[in-house]
Amino acid sequence: MSDVQRYLLRVDEDKDSAQRIAEETAQSLVSKTKSLIDVVQSLGEYINDEDASIRSKAVNYLSQVISALPNTTLSRQQVQVLCQFLCDRIEDGGAVGGLRKLQSLGRFNREMAIMTFRALVEHFQDLMIRPHAQRLQILELLNDLMLNHRGSLKSLGDGAIVGVTDLISGEKDPRSLMIIFSILQVIMVEWDIAAKAETLFDSAFCYFPITFRPPPDDPYRITAQDLKARLRSCISASSHFAPFAFPQLLEKLDSTSPNVKKDVLQTLTACTTSYNAAAVSNWSITLWDSLKYEILNVQEEDLAEDSLVTLQAIAITLSRDLRSTNQTTHLARFLKPITNECKEELQAPQHKKAKPAGQILSSLASSSSVALFLVVKAIVPPLLTIYQDADSIASQKALLEVLVQIFNAAVLCDEAPGVVRSSTEAEHPLAPFKDRLFEIFSQALMSSPHEEVTFRVVALKGLLRLCQVRNYLQNSEIGMFVQYLDEIVLTEDPSGREDVKDEAIQALVEISKTKHQVIMDITFPAFMANLPDQPMKDQTDYVVTLEGLARLSVEKSISDTLIRRLLSKLETVLQNDGQASYTQALLSTMDYVLSRRDLPSDSNLSSYHEKIVVTYVCKAALASVGSGPQALVEAATLEILGRLMARIVCALDEHKRRSVAIETFTLFTQEGSPFIPVLYRQDIPEKQRRTMILSTWILASVGQAADALYTVADDIDFDSLLNELTRLALVETTPTIRHYILEQIALLVNRSSTSKGLSDALRVMYNPFEAAQIDATPSIDATPIVFWIAKALLLRLSHTQEVLDHVLGLLSDNSFGPTSARGFGLLLASDEIISKQYGAKLRLLSKQKVFSICAPRIAADFRAAEASVKPNYLIALSGILKDVPTEVTMTEIATLLPLLLQSLDLPDQEVKAATIVSLAVISQESPGAVEGHMSSLVNRLLQAASKPRENIAIFPGRVKGSVLLPYRAGVIRGILPVLDDAKRHVRKMAVECRATWTNMDEPDQDA
């Protein structure tokens, strides 16, 4: 049995097997055990069969054999013969695959390419009625010819264009359309299409607009946007299309479909951008007449924006290579009717069309420097006249907004080529109006009633834009504006007018980026002079000044100067034993300024280390024993100083960080100073104990360099230090100090690099009293130590099972169970100090691991627990869930949901709020999971909302309406008491909740 007979027997039942037979034949040709003539002759009776399907399969067999051959196997003569053979039988089907292979060979010449193309064209009517898959193959062959033999096809002239348009007509398959649009674009861009422009345009535009929607799980991943973009490229490919494209697109702009309108506008933008200026100019006024309706009578904001983009694209094209402002240019003729109409609309500045008229002018003016000149010349003089005659602030505000939009355009045009003007013309189109504009905006800003906030903000923005126009205002004029801004920030009463003050500070920031010397000469002295050496009691206006200074410190030169001035001011305040709140404000400002700096590469880093870290930490330590300003030993001051110090230390090199680590508890004090470290001492005054706050921040900031601490003295090692810190935490009565000592313990444990250190940590966790050598008493709660050590170990996934077994076991204790339950909220919570920033060891899967152990264990222990301790498990579960990713919790939803519902019955409001958040997430991610519990869920949520709460989290609408509908009436009645809650935001949430339930769809309307 011959290969072709075997192929014909298999091809219908097993295409892969048939393919292997063709490959075997190809291998025989390569090895020369068979000749090409033998293979072709073996097809004889089949390619002449009366059955068309047999002829098609026979030809397909030959095509598959050819496709399986290496590229160098066939000679030029063989390629010629096969090409002729397949072209002659192209109508039988099956030949296309072979021709695609042949055209890719180097021996496939111009004559063969033309022969193949003509064969396709001559039989296009037969080819186009074939199934999608075969038509796709034909189009792929045509695309291959365009890609590899473009010159050969191009030599056929207009005949090729007609042939291509015949071949691609009437297609609907998205894969085929993507190929068709690519082929058309090549012809439109590269060939002379003048004689056949309309034919080509029609072949593409017949597919506009694209309404394709890909089916679900589309394997080809072709989107409507892909098709639209490629079709748009065809329509905008040649200026020859302008007489056909513009009228047809404008006709479709009348569509009632917003999607079609958007597609039309985006296509118009592409055309006006791509076509030459002459083609666009012929249609520019017609386009304006259609586009202005979408802009001036705005119905859809996005359509108005697209129309503005199209209008700007027209102006950009008409400005191309234009240097003259002559009124006879295409651009000037286009702009004249537009500016005239906009002037008419601006005669009534409060009319609804005035604002879009300003947007039109801004869009056009920003298209080029020539357009800016023409718009300014036509619009600014009448605008100034209208402003002078305006009889209300509202009208003046509307006109100023238009001017600001023109100023914005001027800023955008700064990079554009300059306009060619005569020697008598001003350097900038706005120059003739500079004094008048500066006067108008200055008066609006400084002379208007302070209650006119929005009016003044517009004026402020206008002056800022004038400052940003290149080489427009003199430094003295910019300086005058800066003085205005300083006055607003420093002297105006901010009550109810924060917008003006915020805008003023932001304007100063913007000016500092380009005119920082003006800021240094004017603003800095004014702001620093406004900072008192000793503020009066209850005086807080310095906060605004410091905020302004901090936000101004964008440029390095400014921030360097600010840090120096603040340090000097801080020294003065401390010498006068100033207020702690003022000291804190100065330190916070320095911290904010340095947070915006790249400290590791900062040339002043060593100076910051000496002048801030060493100096003020030492002063704080001495102040704790009465030898310094008491403002430095306030807990809040020490926290801020600690953060500031840590920011600087983190940027130091390893050697310097080790030198800082040595001072963790001595705090840079010299030997013989009155300050004695807190460690290993009894009955220490609170002020001295507060220095542990600074010790914690030092320990955090030095990272792994903390090991240097153990080299200071022989009696300090990890074990002894951990025991001592445990003792201090147990006996500490001040919550803030105890918190920072616990942070130290967690840092030591988490960053421990030895197995012995971890074993010591476990020992302390199991029995803190024994480690601290303190007798256990009911008045001392060791639970916080247990959970901080547990947190440190769990985050690094060390001894995870042991740790969780221990803390979970505490939940059943009647004495410490409630406290332990709350401790679970600490285990996975983010922490400012136990963080990557300070070298903490945080494993990526720590939350998943802890949850996977805790969730089933808590559920099982809850069921077995006595009634008196059951709430402990619910509180613990709530603490864990709040920090675990949603996708992790959903794996245990069936186990957790009954427990969460019972958590709503607990009196603890924090637990209840956290539970409601968890339930909201579950109902969003897995609505089916809560459907079976809806009765219980709704009743409990109503009970949770029946009393004043800071958060009413009833969440209807997350599951199907058919499930919720039976409870609607009860929910609406149940929410009534909350509508009269004393807190406004609670009432607001209750109203929104009632509206959601009231407007819920009937079951048959559910999606």
Side-chain angles (χ1 to χ4, degrees):
M1 185 181 294
S2 67
D3 287 349
V4 66
Q5 290 174 324
R6 292 166 54 216
Y7 178 90
L8 293 174
L9 288 173
R10 295 286 185 87
V11 69
D12 289 332
E13 298 178 359
D14 188 348
K15 293 187 181 300
D16 291 338
S17 177
Q19 174 70 29
R20 286 194 293 272
I21 293 170
E23 290 172 355
E24 291 172 6
T25 305
Q27 187 59 41
S28 299
L29 291 174
V30 173
S31 63
K32 298 186 178 180
T33 56
K34 286 185 180 179
S35 67
L36 186 60
I37 295 176
D38 294 336
V39 174
V40 174
Q41 287 178 345
S42 69
L43 299 175
E45 62 179 293
Y46 304 109
I47 59 175
N48 296 313
D49 197 284
E50 294 181 359
D51 189 336
S53 65
I54 293 178
R55 294 200 305 271
S56 175
K57 293 171 188 175
V59 176
N60 194 55
Y61 164 72
L62 179 59
S63 292
Q64 289 190 1
V65 171
I66 295 172
S67 299
L69 289 172
N71 290 346
T72 58
T73 301
L74 298 175
S75 66
R76 184 178 298 277
Q77 184 180 9
Q78 288 173 323
V79 173
Q80 171 75 36
V81 170
L82 287 171
C83 179
Q84 182 70 60
F85 182 84
L86 293 174
C87 286
D88 290 343
R89 288 161 177 77
I90 198 168
E91 74 276 11
D92 289 333
V96 174
L99 288 170
R100 288 195 69 192
K101 172 67 176 183
L102 291 177
Q103 67 81 32
S104 68
L105 302 178
R107 292 164 180 165
F108 191 89
N109 58 27
R110 178 179 178 277
E111 288 74 19
M112 300 177 201
I114 293 174
M115 181 196 309
T116 304
F117 177 73
R118 284 177 172 162
L120 289 173
V121 172
E122 289 169 4
H123 298 91
F124 82 92
Q125 290 183 338
D126 295 331
L127 299 177
M128 288 300 102
I129 61 173
R130 293 185 178 176
H132 284 164
Q134 292 186 28
R135 293 207 307 273
L136 179 63
Q137 268 196 325
I138 294 165
L139 291 170
E140 286 173 339
L141 172 58
L142 180 59
N143 190 57
D144 292 341
L145 291 173
M146 291 293 296
L147 182 66
N148 300 320
H149 307 281
R150 191 174 306 170
S152 301
L153 302 190
K154 190 174 181 181
S155 67
L156 297 176
D158 293 346
I161 296 177
V162 174
V164 169
T165 55
D166 287 341
L167 279 171
I168 64 176
S169 62
E171 189 54 66
K172 294 182 180 180
D173 183 74
R175 292 172 295 165
S176 299
L177 287 175
M178 292 292 283
I179 296 173
I180 287 171
F181 296 152
S182 296
I183 294 171
L184 286 176
Q185 188 177 4
V186 170
I187 296 174
M188 293 167 173
V189 172
E190 299 186 13
W191 294 13
D192 180 6
I193 64 169
K196 296 294 180 182
E198 187 171 5
T199 300
L200 267 177
F201 176 80
D202 289 343
S203 68
F205 197 78
C206 66
Y207 296 107
F208 187 91
I210 296 290
T211 56
F212 167 73
R213 287 188 179 182
D217 303 320
D218 179 20
Y220 309 113
R221 300 185 180 278
I222 297 174
T223 66
Q225 197 57 43
D226 294 332
L227 291 167
K228 288 179 181 181
R230 198 160 289 187
L231 175 58
R232 194 173 296 142
S233 297
C234 291
I235 297 172
S236 62
S238 172
S239 297
H240 291 296
F241 295 156
F244 319 114
F246 287 134
Q248 294 193 55
L249 286 170
L250 292 178
E251 182 181 347
K252 291 186 181 294
L253 190 58
D254 294 332
S255 169
T256 57
S257 167
N259 289 333
V260 172
K261 280 177 171 281
K262 189 174 186 66
D263 200 1
V264 169
L265 290 169
Q266 291 176 350
T267 306
L268 282 172
T269 301
C271 292
T272 53
T273 301
S274 176
Y275 296 169
N276 60 43
V280 173
S281 177
N282 291 335
W283 292 90
S284 59
I285 302 301
T286 305
L287 289 168
W288 156 246
D289 288 337
S290 296
L291 293 172
K292 69 181 180 183
Y293 178 83
E294 300 294 337
I295 303 171
L296 295 175
N297 302 280
V298 56
Q299 295 175 336
E300 299 280 347
E301 287 291 342
D302 57 339
L303 294 180
E305 291 174 6
D306 286 337
S307 299
L308 286 169
V309 172
T310 304
L311 207 59
Q312 185 182 55
I314 297 171
I316 291 173
T317 298
L318 298 181
S319 302
R320 203 174 291 157
D321 300 324
L322 184 64
R323 295 292 183 271
S324 172
T325 59
N326 192 293
Q327 293 296 318
T328 61
T329 62
H330 293 316
L331 178 64
R333 291 201 301 268
F334 169 62
L335 292 178
K336 186 174 181 179
I338 300 178
T339 53
N340 287 339
E341 189 158 348
C342 288
K343 277 190 290 186
E344 291 297 323
E345 298 297 349
L346 291 171
Q347 293 293 328
Q350 289 183 269
H351 192 269
K352 66 178 182 179
K353 292 185 179 181
K355 182 177 179 180
Q359 293 171 335
I360 290 171
L361 294 170
S362 174
S363 178
L364 293 171
S366 62
S367 61
S368 69
S369 55
V370 183
L372 174 68
F373 180 85
L374 294 171
V375 170
V376 168
K377 185 177 179 181
I379 291 296
V380 172
L383 272 185
L384 294 178
T385 302
I386 298 170
Y387 183 86
Q388 186 174 351
D389 298 336
D391 56 359
S392 68
I393 286 183
S395 296
Q396 291 178 335
K397 173 175 169 289
L399 293 167
L400 290 188
E401 286 175 338
V402 175
L403 287 170
V404 171
Q405 289 176 316
I406 294 175
F407 299 163
N408 289 337
V411 173
L412 292 174
C413 284
D414 271 344
E415 300 299 325
V419 178
V420 178
R421 306 180 181 92
S422 67
S423 59
T424 59
E425 287 183 346
E427 182 179 353
H428 193 281
L430 286 169
F433 318 104
K434 182 174 75 170
D435 293 341
R436 181 66 179 135
L437 289 172
F438 193 83
E439 177 187 0
I440 287 174
F441 278 87
S442 296
Q443 288 177 350
L445 176 63
M446 302 306 294
S447 301
S448 301
H450 289 182
E451 293 75 17
E452 298 293 342
V453 174
T454 57
F455 182 51
R456 299 183 69 211
V457 167
V458 172
L460 188 153
K461 290 181 177 178
L463 287 170
L464 175 61
R465 290 296 176 266
L466 290 178
C467 291
Q468 293 173 326
V469 175
R470 184 180 301 166
N471 300 326
Y472 185 62
L473 294 182
Q474 300 296 322
N475 278 350
S476 59
E477 293 166 321
I478 296 175
M480 187 177 298
F481 176 49
V482 168
Q483 290 179 42
Y484 295 160
L485 298 175
D486 294 347
E487 182 179 338
I488 291 170
V489 174
L490 298 177
T491 64
E492 288 191 8
D493 180 8
S495 59
R497 290 180 286 277
E498 287 294 340
D499 287 348
V500 180
K501 193 177 291 287
D502 288 343
E503 289 288 345
I505 293 175
Q506 187 57 40
L508 288 169
V509 172
E510 292 297 321
I511 294 173
S512 71
K513 294 176 182 178
T514 54
K515 299 287 183 181
H516 64 271
Q517 194 57 48
V518 175
I519 299 298
M520 296 293 294
D521 294 341
I522 299 174
T523 299
F524 250 69
F527 275 51
M528 292 306 299
N530 201 54
L531 287 178
D533 292 340
Q534 179 70 348
M536 298 175 62
K537 186 178 181 181
D538 298 329
Q539 181 183 354
T540 58
D541 57 351
Y542 58 79
V543 174
V544 175
T545 305
L546 288 172
E547 179 189 355
L549 287 167
R551 290 173 61 181
L552 279 172
S553 61
V554 177
E555 299 298 318
K556 185 177 184 301
S557 59
I558 296 178
S559 60
D560 286 345
T561 302
L562 178 58
I563 291 293
R564 290 195 300 270
R565 301 276 182 90
L566 291 177
L567 284 172
S568 175
K569 181 64 69 175
L570 178 60
E571 193 63 32
T572 302
V573 171
L574 293 177
Q575 286 175 359
N576 296 330
D577 201 18
Q579 297 176 10
S581 59
Y582 192 27
T583 302
Q584 293 158 18
L586 291 168
L587 290 170
S588 294
T589 304
M590 284 189 275
D591 185 42
Y592 176 81
V593 173
L594 292 183
S595 71
R596 304 166 77 184
R597 299 281 291 271
D598 181 17
L599 284 177
S601 59
D602 197 310
S603 58
N604 295 318
L605 182 59
S606 296
S607 173
Y608 298 150
H609 171 231
E610 290 296 327
K611 294 181 179 179
I612 298 177
V613 177
V614 175
T615 300
Y616 284 98
V617 170
C618 179
K619 284 186 176 184
L622 295 175
S624 71
V625 293
S627 298
Q630 293 305 291
L632 283 177
V633 288
E634 292 288 335
T637 307
L638 292 172
E639 287 186 89
I640 297 169
L641 177 58
R643 288 189 184 89
L644 172 60
M645 172 204 65
R647 190 178 305 282
I648 297 169
V649 173
C650 281
L652 297 174
D653 58 41
E654 180 72 13
H655 174 73
K656 284 190 176 180
R657 277 191 281 122
R658 290 184 69 83
S659 68
V660 172
I662 293 172
E663 306 288 346
T664 299
F665 299 105
T666 55
L667 304 179
F668 302 101
T669 55
Q670 300 298 317
E671 187 175 350
S673 77
F675 176 76
I676 302 174
V678 173
L679 296 182
Y680 308 108
R681 293 174 58 201
Q682 305 288 334
D683 302 324
I684 312 165
E686 181 181 335
K687 287 185 179 180
Q688 294 181 42
R689 301 201 311 274
R690 289 179 193 161
T691 60
M692 290 298 284
I693 296 172
L694 291 176
S695 296
T696 301
W697 282 109
I698 292 177
L699 191 66
S701 62
V702 297
Q704 294 301 323
D707 291 344
L709 182 62
Y710 306 134
T711 64
V712 178
D714 295 337
D715 59 342
I716 294 184
D717 56 21
F718 179 89
D719 186 28
S720 63
L721 181 58
L722 183 60
N723 291 341
E724 175 60 11
L725 290 174
T726 302
R727 182 188 70 83
L728 290 174
L730 287 172
V731 300
E732 182 56 61
T733 56
T734 304
T736 302
I737 301 174
R738 182 171 64 246
H739 171 80
Y740 276 95
I741 296 173
L742 291 169
E743 291 268 18
Q744 279 195 54
I745 293 173
L747 270 173
L748 285 176
V749 173
N750 181 267
R751 296 195 307 211
S752 175
S753 56
T754 66
S755 56
K756 182 180 183 304
L758 297 178
S759 299
D760 290 340
L762 285 173
R763 172 182 55 78
V764 175
M765 183 186 73
Y766 286 135
N767 197 334
F769 290 104
E770 181 181 332
Q773 298 182 355
I774 294 177
D775 294 334
T777 63
S779 61
I780 300 178
D781 183 9
T783 307
I785 295 176
V786 173
F787 277 88
W788 276 95
I789 293 178
K791 177 186 182 73
L793 293 170
L794 292 174
L795 290 178
R796 59 179 287 170
L797 291 182
S798 294
H799 302 281
T800 304
Q801 189 66 54
E802 293 178 63
V803 171
L804 289 176
D805 285 343
H806 180 64
V807 295
L808 287 168
L810 297 175
L811 295 175
S812 60
D813 189 288
N814 284 312
S815 300
F816 297 109
T819 309
S820 299
R822 292 196 167 279
F824 278 79
L826 169 72
L827 293 180
L828 299 178
S830 58
D831 188 84
E832 182 179 9
I833 292 177
I834 313 298
S835 63
K836 286 283 187 183
Q837 179 183 357
Y838 298 121
K841 297 178 180 179
L842 307 179
R843 299 285 294 276
L844 287 175
L845 298 179
S846 58
K847 293 184 178 183
Q848 289 88 327
K849 181 70 172 177
V850 171
F851 176 78
S852 66
I853 295 175
C854 284
R857 172 77 179 273
I858 288 176
D861 290 355
F862 174 83
R863 289 190 291 269
E866 297 178 2
S868 60
V869 297
K870 279 182 181 289
N872 298 344
Y873 294 93
L874 300 177
I875 294 171
L877 177 62
S878 174
I880 291 288
L881 287 179
K882 68 182 176 64
D883 296 305
V884 177
T886 301
E887 58 270 19
V888 176
T889 61
M890 297 308 295
T891 60
E892 295 286 343
I893 186 60
T895 303
L896 298 179
L897 192 54
L899 274 67
L900 290 172
L901 292 174
Q902 293 184 59
S903 297
L904 292 173
D905 297 331
L906 296 176
D908 190 304
Q909 298 306 312
E910 290 184 12
V911 174
K912 190 175 294 186
T915 302
I916 291 174
V917 171
S918 298
L919 288 169
V921 172
I922 292 170
S923 67
Q924 180 71 39
E925 299 295 327
S926 180
V930 299
E931 289 180 3
H933 303 272
M934 195 51 60
S935 176
S936 176
L937 176 60
V938 169
N939 290 332
R940 285 180 164 94
L941 287 173
L942 281 174
Q943 291 173 8
S946 62
K947 297 179 182 179
R949 297 284 181 266
E950 293 196 7
N951 181 21
I952 302 176
I954 299 177
F955 43 90
R958 294 177 181 266
V959 295
K960 291 190 297 185
S962 57
V963 176
L964 292 175
L965 195 63
Y967 308 100
R968 179 166 62 180
V971 169
I972 294 173
R973 285 194 304 271
I975 205 70
L976 287 175
V978 192
L979 295 172
D980 296 324
D981 193 89
K983 296 178 181 177
R984 182 176 179 274
H985 71 279
V986 174
R987 296 196 303 272
K988 179 176 181 291
M989 294 178 71
V991 169
E992 292 173 352
C993 176
R994 182 179 64 173
T996 302
W997 282 89
T998 301
N999 299 327
M1000 191 170 56
D1001 291 336
E1002 295 295 333
D1004 60 343
Q1005 294 176 307
D1006 285 341

